[in-house]
Amino acid sequence: MVAVDAVIIEVMSCNNASMRYIFKGEKPANLPAQARTKYQLAINLKTAQALGLTVPSSLLVRADGVIE
């Protein structure tokens, strides 16, 4: 009913950067680990209501997407 995921554009950008290094001959094991900095929050209200749960309005306001 609640999902948190990395922003797809940021994921693709990091993957592209890694691929550039690999194509230039860098070994994948030598590439730095990249942590995601942007995330999206999605809430499925239909599932929450089916389970008898109430989602606080403060959480709904912060959500990037709400499925009704």
Side-chain angles (χ1 to χ4, degrees):
M1 98 191 119
V2 175
V4 177
D5 197 9
V7 176
I8 190 69
I9 293 172
E10 183 182 11
V11 171
M12 292 175 72
S13 175
C14 290
N15 289 345
N16 289 341
S18 295
M19 292 306 295
R20 279 195 302 267
Y21 285 115
I22 292 169
F23 287 140
K24 289 181 181 179
E26 189 71 39
K27 293 183 180 180
N30 295 339
L31 295 177
Q34 298 175 345
R36 306 296 180 240
T37 58
K38 296 179 183 177
Y39 294 91
Q40 293 178 329
L41 171 65
I43 300 173
N44 189 330
L45 283 179
K46 187 175 182 179
T47 302
Q49 290 171 350
L51 296 172
L53 301 173
T54 303
V55 179
S57 60
S58 60
L59 191 57
L60 292 173
V61 171
R62 295 184 68 179
D64 296 301
V66 178
I67 301 168
E68 294 187 36

